[in-house]
Amino acid sequence: MSETTRTYRPRRDRVWFLRSRAYTIFVIRELTSVFVAWTIAYLLLLVAAALDGALPAFSAFAAQPWVIALNLVALAATAFHSVTFLNLAPKATVVRLDGWRVPAFMIQGGNHTAWLLVSAVLFWVVTR
């Protein structure tokens, strides 16, 4: 008489990340990488159009409502991705000055300030 045994396999929880706010933010942040990739691809298309002299065709593509909507979603997703990245930096980097550990809020503040300054300079360059 042969007896077969079955291995116990618990059901997988497909929404495990909804059980914790930290996990939910982690998964959302990872999903925003898709929109970061779209932003990079879009900018590469823009550069290629500028180099090929095809800016009018690119402008026609960029003016389509679905591209505008996608770029607005990508802007929000990329901003969320950037903010969460800058907020995680103090956990990944320990900065010491003469044996004194720089507090996390100072590292975050420096990161966000640098981000705002670079954004302001880029805005000035583009709009002047």
Side-chain angles (χ1 to χ4, degrees):
M1 191 184 254
S2 78
E3 189 174 310
T4 60
T5 59
R6 295 178 64 188
T7 304
Y8 172 69
R9 293 189 185 159
R11 292 185 59 143
R12 291 185 186 231
D13 185 8
R14 295 180 192 261
V15 290
W16 58 269
F17 56 91
L18 295 176
R19 308 271 184 256
S20 164
R21 183 177 183 271
Y23 290 157
T24 303
I25 290 174
F26 168 76
V27 170
I28 290 171
R29 182 180 187 283
E30 293 303 308
L31 290 174
T32 61
S33 298
V34 174
F35 293 102
V36 172
W38 162 252
T39 302
I40 293 168
Y42 185 80
L43 290 174
L44 289 174
L45 289 171
L46 173 61
V47 169
L51 293 175
D52 292 341
L55 281 177
F58 182 82
S59 294
F61 165 73
Q64 295 179 22
W66 70 271
V67 176
I68 293 170
L70 180 60
N71 283 334
L72 287 174
V73 171
L75 175 64
T78 304
F80 179 78
H81 190 89
S82 300
V83 168
T84 55
F85 175 80
L86 294 176
N87 287 344
L88 288 173
K91 293 179 171 91
T93 307
V94 175
V95 179
R96 295 191 183 277
L97 297 173
D98 291 332
W100 176 72
R101 183 177 178 167
V102 177
F105 77 91
M106 292 180 93
I107 297 171
Q108 280 180 321
N111 287 341
H112 287 282
T113 302
W115 184 36
L116 288 173
L117 287 174
V118 168
S119 297
V121 169
L122 287 174
F123 180 77
W124 178 77
V125 167
V126 168
T127 59
R128 68 180 171 106

